[in-house]
Amino acid sequence: MLFRLLRLILVLALVVSAPPSFEAMAQGVGQAPAGLVADQQKIIQGLTTKADNFEKQIQQDAEDDSSLVDIRLQLEELSRQSLNSALAFRTRLGQINARLEQLGPAPTAGQPEEPDIVSAERQALTSEKAEINAVISQAQALSIRISGLIDKIGNMRSELFRNLLTKRYVLSDALSPQVFSDARDEFGNLYKAVSSWLTFAFKFKFQAMLAATFMALGLALVLLVGGRRLFGRIFEADPSVEDPTYLSRLSVAFWSTLLPTLAVGAFLASTVFLYNYYNVLRGDIGVFLNALAAVIAVVFCVNRLTNAALEPRMPNWRLIQVETGPARWLVRLTTAMAVVIGVNYFLSVVNDTMGSLLSLTVARSFVAAIIVGIILILMALLRPYKRSDGSWRPWPAWLRYTAIALGLATIAAALFGYIRLANFVSVQVVVTGTILITAYIGFLSAREIGEERAFANTSVGRWLSANSSYEDTALDQLGLVVSIAINLMIVLVFLPLILLMWGFQPGDIEAWAYKLATGINIGSVTISVTGILSGIVVFVIGYFLTRWFQGWLDGSVMARGKVDTGVRNSIRLAVGYAGVALAALVGISAAGIDLSSLALVAGALSLGIGFGLQNVVSNFVSGLILLAERPFKVGDWIVAGDVSGTVKKISVRATEIETFQRQSVILPNSNLINNAVGNWTHRNKLGRIDIKVGVAYGSDVKQVHAVLLDIARSHPLVLKNPEPFVLFSNFGPAALEFEIRVFLADVMNGNIVQNDVRFTVLEKFDDQHIEIPSTPRAVVEAKKHQAWPTDDDKIEADFAEQEEAKAQAEAESKKLPKPRKSKKPDPD
């Protein structure tokens, strides 16, 4: 009866409380999520429309590589937006699944029916989940479609690049006399365009041109002159140095190329920018000026690099040890090659802008490719070295044959009509070769700086050594940091340049940089460079904050509070370990690493700790116990087994003890916990020392006692309370034994007191005629060796007589009768 009553009360309670709960559920699940679903459906429809438009645009711009790159970037942004739409339901789906799990499955046939309110809630959640899954499916389908379009763009761009290099032109029209007249007409049109623009600019924009030019020139001068003033010793070769180091030559070659090139590039880029800003440039003139600026920068960089590496004027600063004459020819030929490539590029821009005839374009490219090929062959045929007999020696075989092969390949491609392939090879030989050589010199410089004691020998290292407190070890570590920084700078600067030269667009680099920054998926793991760098930065900040807080707490708080040194050390260590651990956890979280994914690693580590790391864990736990209980502290005088000394440092693994012979002993903390340890200065430095004294038998023991007691009381370091005491301790085997027992305020002064007391005992006993016996010692007599004989003839005669006497004795013994053997046995 009681059970039925309770069940009725429970059913009534459910009926009363169900309507408000269901109403709230309907409001939260039916209205807000329904609005979320509708909003995301609109977003996905808009993204689908954009994807349709981009698909049409791909077909229209199938021959334009830069347009395809822009479309690809926009498609990747659409893909991210579609995935964000799918992720918008993550929280709600989690809530729905959790609630459905609480409700459980619907009752099957034969089971009691559940309340209508429960079935209605389950049905509402199930329908909502179906709607959300439908929207997520649409977002996923759109993302798959966009990925297909991105792959299609990649295939189209690869096909464009192949067609560009493998397209063959007919050379009959390009080599006809009509080309010369076409070129003359083209030059006339270019002259008219430039002259008309100059007339307009000088008449209406002269002040703006002058201001823009001077501003750009000022920027370049600040960069160049300021850099030389600050780092002149690094950027300029010193003629007075007869034998510069390899690192100095590398640094001068690298920085003397990079700094002037940056200054010229800054001047050209700022000039074009300011001309555009002041509306000085016309559309076609702006294109011409941009191309001309790029050509001037490349030619200047090539000339500076070859001069820096070959140094025709200063052979001792030459990176490549060739003779002076060939070095000059190499500089001239390399610069001429860069000029040919630059002029060809500038004329190609002019031809594209002015709509020149195809025959004129082919003829220009053909001539440029032939000239570059001939220059390559001439460079390969140079003999830059001298043998010991004075004859000239060529380049190494691999380098010579490679240059000849490139030159012949360029000429052959041009003669067979593959003009674009020939131009591509020519440009890569000059521009990519310059970039790679500059980067290689930079890498060599970074490697040399990272060598031991190399950075300290540089100008910057010597300046830091003279004007700072850096030691050699710190300078070596700083050299490693500088080496890594130079390597990173080279990669970040030169890698994009090489990619651009090999046909990649800025959009490609931008897309790769975005993927590298946001995360690269390798299986189920996402590696994000930005996240890793953020984690490192957070950890470094936390580490330095911890060290700063340690110093502030120790020096400002505990020092002012006169806290004991041992307590200060324990608190400082605890704060340091806690701060570093917290910084590591926060850094790992900032790097995007899920700590829950480390559970398996932690389990394996725990297993390893249980078996292989028992001693490490034992010492660690013992160190924590020592820091918490503090049976001894830094500065205490302890005795642990055979080790006696002062505690210098207590860490979580071991304790450092400095003996009185200045030897550092590292004791594992488990030894200090598990074994007996004596601490002379545990609570205070008050301690007793004992000095043993022996006197001869027959001495007046009362007088001895009085003398020793007076000596003990008269020492200034001996405490009056507790009072000194002299003990008649024993009747020894050789002396009457006494002990002087005195207490000191600082037991660390025990050796000083013992030394003073013993000296005083000798003086007083001598005055009082009290004898201190000594232990008898055994007398050992030295064995005297016989002197070396001086009369050899006498020794020989004596020896002969002895031998003769022996022989006679043997003869007589043979003549004597032999004794008979008894047949009877010996009596027992």
Side-chain angles (χ1 to χ4, degrees):
M1 186 66 182
L2 179 62
F3 177 74
R4 292 182 180 178
L5 181 61
L6 290 175
R7 187 173 60 180
L8 179 61
I9 295 174
L10 179 60
V11 171
L12 291 176
L14 287 174
V15 172
V16 171
S17 61
S21 174
F22 180 71
E23 234 180 280
M25 181 274 298
Q27 185 177 2
V29 175
Q31 296 178 2
L36 178 62
V37 170
D39 292 340
Q40 296 303 322
Q41 283 179 340
K42 291 180 181 179
I43 292 175
I44 293 174
Q45 289 176 359
L47 296 177
T48 304
T49 304
K50 290 182 180 179
D52 295 337
N53 296 332
F54 284 132
E55 188 172 7
K56 296 177 182 178
Q57 191 175 354
I58 290 172
Q59 301 299 328
Q60 297 174 358
D61 299 335
E63 301 296 328
D64 191 350
D65 187 68
S66 59
S67 297
L68 291 176
V69 172
D70 293 337
I71 295 173
R72 174 191 169 185
L73 291 177
Q74 298 180 45
L75 285 174
E76 288 179 349
E77 180 63 27
L78 284 183
S79 178
R80 287 191 288 270
Q81 292 178 5
S82 64
L83 291 178
N84 290 334
S85 296
L87 293 176
F89 297 103
R90 176 184 293 176
T91 303
R92 183 55 191 161
L93 276 177
Q95 296 174 354
I96 292 174
N97 291 329
R99 183 57 181 163
L100 288 175
E101 187 176 354
Q102 291 177 355
L103 295 177
T108 58
Q111 293 182 347
E113 294 185 358
E114 61 183 0
D116 294 339
I117 187 172
V118 176
S119 59
E121 182 180 359
R122 182 185 294 106
Q123 185 177 359
L125 292 174
T126 304
S127 60
E128 181 186 351
K129 183 177 180 180
E131 292 178 0
I132 292 175
N133 288 333
V135 177
I136 291 176
S137 299
Q138 293 177 5
Q140 291 176 347
L142 178 60
S143 177
I144 294 172
R145 180 189 173 191
I146 293 173
S147 299
L149 293 177
I150 293 174
D151 294 338
K152 182 179 179 181
I153 290 175
N155 295 331
M156 293 173 65
R157 293 185 62 209
S158 300
E159 186 67 23
L160 280 176
F161 186 71
R162 286 194 297 269
N163 293 337
L164 181 68
L165 296 183
T166 58
K167 186 175 183 179
R168 186 178 180 184
Y169 295 91
V170 180
L171 299 179
S172 57
D173 296 336
L175 302 178
S176 64
Q178 182 64 29
V179 174
F180 294 99
S181 61
D182 294 339
R184 186 171 56 253
D185 295 338
E186 188 76 14
F187 179 76
N189 294 332
L190 177 63
Y191 176 78
K192 290 179 182 179
V194 174
S195 60
S196 63
W197 172 74
L198 287 176
T199 303
F200 163 78
F202 279 106
K203 186 178 293 186
F204 300 103
K205 297 288 185 178
F206 179 74
Q207 293 181 351
M209 285 182 60
L210 197 63
T213 304
F214 276 108
M215 290 173 64
L217 186 61
L219 177 62
L221 288 176
V222 167
L223 184 61
L224 183 61
V225 177
R228 289 184 181 276
R229 291 292 299 272
L230 290 175
F231 309 103
R233 294 181 180 178
I234 300 177
F235 297 148
E236 297 178 355
D238 189 358
S240 62
V241 180
E242 296 182 358
D243 188 18
T245 62
Y246 187 61
L247 176 60
S248 300
R249 287 183 285 157
L250 283 171
S251 300
V252 168
F254 179 69
W255 294 108
S256 64
T257 300
L258 189 62
L259 180 68
T261 303
L262 289 177
V264 172
F267 168 72
L268 296 172
S270 57
T271 300
V272 174
F273 172 78
L274 292 173
Y275 278 12
N276 284 319
Y277 181 78
Y278 289 113
N279 296 321
V280 175
L281 296 179
R282 209 169 56 195
D284 55 347
I285 301 300
V287 176
F288 297 158
L289 190 59
N290 283 325
L292 183 62
V295 169
I296 293 173
V298 171
V299 172
F300 181 82
C301 180
V302 172
N303 182 263
R304 286 298 308 169
L305 178 61
T306 52
N307 274 287
L310 297 172
E311 277 294 347
R313 296 171 298 175
M314 289 181 286
N316 53 336
W317 284 91
R318 198 170 292 161
L319 275 180
I320 305 173
Q321 296 302 321
V322 298
E323 297 298 324
T324 302
R328 291 195 181 98
W329 274 109
L330 284 172
V331 172
R332 294 167 187 167
L333 291 174
T334 307
T335 306
M337 190 187 304
V339 170
V340 171
I341 295 295
V343 171
N344 181 50
Y345 171 75
F346 177 74
L347 292 179
S348 67
V349 174
V350 172
N351 292 337
D352 293 340
T353 305
M354 302 186 69
S356 302
L357 297 175
L358 179 62
S359 59
L360 187 62
T361 303
V362 173
R364 167 188 52 77
S365 301
F366 175 80
V367 172
I370 295 296
I371 294 174
V372 171
I374 293 174
I375 292 176
L376 279 173
I377 295 174
L378 291 176
M379 293 173 65
L381 295 178
L382 278 176
R383 294 178 178 269
Y385 306 110
K386 271 189 177 181
R387 296 187 178 94
S388 58
D389 58 357
S391 60
W392 292 95
R393 182 166 59 88
W395 295 104
W398 66 271
L399 182 59
R400 183 170 71 254
Y401 291 141
T402 301
I404 293 175
L406 288 174
L408 292 176
T410 304
I411 295 173
L415 291 176
F416 282 103
Y418 297 100
I419 303 298
R420 290 186 174 179
L421 177 60
N423 284 334
F424 181 79
V425 174
S426 304
V427 171
Q428 302 315 316
V429 167
V430 176
V431 182
T432 306
T434 302
I435 295 172
L436 287 177
I437 292 174
T438 307
Y440 182 66
I441 293 175
F443 282 127
L444 291 178
S445 301
R447 187 179 67 181
E448 290 294 325
I449 290 175
E451 294 292 335
E452 187 177 1
R453 298 182 181 177
F455 183 74
N457 295 326
T458 61
S459 300
V460 178
R462 287 191 293 268
W463 182 86
L464 287 174
S465 180
N467 297 276
S468 65
S469 59
Y470 286 117
E471 298 179 353
D472 292 340
T473 304
L475 287 176
D476 277 344
Q477 294 174 350
L478 186 59
L480 290 176
V481 174
V482 172
S483 175
I484 295 172
I486 292 176
N487 286 326
L488 288 176
M489 184 194 70
I490 292 170
V491 172
L492 294 177
V493 172
F494 290 100
L495 182 60
L497 292 177
I498 294 175
L499 293 177
L500 291 175
M501 292 310 304
W502 280 83
F504 294 95
Q505 297 292 334
D508 296 324
I509 300 175
E510 180 184 349
W512 294 336
Y514 181 83
K515 288 183 178 180
L516 192 64
T518 55
I520 301 173
N521 294 325
I522 301 177
S524 60
V525 179
T526 301
I527 300 176
S528 172
V529 176
T530 304
I532 293 174
L533 292 178
S534 301
I536 293 174
V537 170
V538 170
F539 174 74
V540 170
I541 292 174
Y543 177 82
F544 282 107
L545 283 177
T546 301
R547 293 298 179 230
W548 170 82
F549 183 73
Q550 275 184 295
W552 174 81
L553 184 65
D554 185 32
S556 299
V557 178
M558 292 189 290
R560 292 183 181 179
K562 307 299 181 183
V563 181
D564 183 73
T565 305
V567 178
R568 288 169 58 181
N569 178 70
S570 299
I571 295 176
R572 186 174 65 251
L573 285 176
V575 170
Y577 287 123
V580 171
L582 182 61
L585 291 176
V586 176
I588 292 173
S589 300
I593 299 175
D594 188 6
L595 295 177
S596 62
S597 62
L598 301 178
L600 183 61
V601 178
L605 184 61
S606 301
L607 185 61
I609 289 173
F611 289 97
L613 303 179
Q614 296 182 36
N615 292 333
V616 175
V617 176
S618 175
N619 291 325
F620 178 79
V621 175
S622 300
L624 296 179
I625 294 173
L626 291 177
L627 291 174
E629 293 186 354
R630 299 181 62 250
F632 53 83
K633 57 187 180 298
V634 174
D636 282 357
W637 174 16
I638 67 172
V639 179
D642 297 333
V643 180
S644 176
T646 305
V647 178
K648 289 296 181 181
K649 182 180 179 182
I650 304 173
S651 62
V652 293
R653 191 197 67 83
T655 297
E656 179 183 351
I657 300 173
E658 185 180 279
T659 65
F660 297 108
Q661 292 81 20
R662 299 297 180 184
Q663 179 190 26
S664 294
V665 179
I666 309 300
L667 284 179
N669 290 329
S670 59
N671 292 356
L672 300 174
I673 288 293
N674 298 327
N675 300 323
V677 177
N679 190 347
W680 285 93
T681 56
H682 181 44
R683 292 181 176 83
N684 51 57
K685 293 186 177 182
L686 177 66
R688 192 190 79 181
I689 62 172
D690 300 336
I691 306 170
K692 294 183 179 181
V693 180
V695 298
Y697 277 92
S699 301
D700 187 353
V701 292
K702 297 292 185 180
Q703 181 186 9
V704 172
H705 183 274
V707 170
L708 294 179
L709 190 59
D710 182 64
I711 292 172
R713 290 173 176 173
S714 61
H715 199 282
L717 295 180
V718 174
L719 294 178
K720 307 302 180 183
N721 185 22
E723 187 179 2
F725 179 73
V726 176
L727 174 68
F728 185 6
S729 60
N730 191 22
F731 294 96
L736 301 173
E737 297 176 357
F738 290 82
E739 283 187 9
I740 303 174
R741 297 178 178 179
V742 296
F743 287 88
L744 306 179
D746 188 355
V747 75
M748 304 295 289
N749 297 324
N751 289 333
I752 299 174
V753 174
Q754 288 177 349
N755 195 50
D756 294 343
V757 168
R758 289 190 178 104
F759 275 112
T760 308
V761 166
L762 288 176
E763 293 176 1
K764 295 293 186 180
F765 278 13
D766 186 54
D767 293 342
Q768 299 293 331
H769 302 289
I770 300 174
E771 182 183 356
I772 299 177
S774 60
T775 304
R777 298 180 181 178
V779 178
V780 180
E781 295 184 359
K783 184 178 181 181
K784 294 182 179 180
H785 297 281
Q786 294 181 357
W788 186 263
T790 57
D791 191 354
D792 293 340
D793 294 336
K794 184 178 183 302
I795 295 175
E796 291 180 0
D798 293 340
F799 181 75
E801 291 179 357
Q802 292 176 2
E803 291 294 328
E804 186 178 357
K806 288 181 180 179
Q808 291 178 357
E810 290 179 359
E812 291 178 358
S813 63
K814 291 180 180 180
K815 293 179 181 180
L816 293 175
K818 296 181 180 179
R820 296 181 180 180
K821 295 183 179 179
S822 177
K823 296 181 180 180
K824 295 181 179 181
D826 295 332
D828 294 335

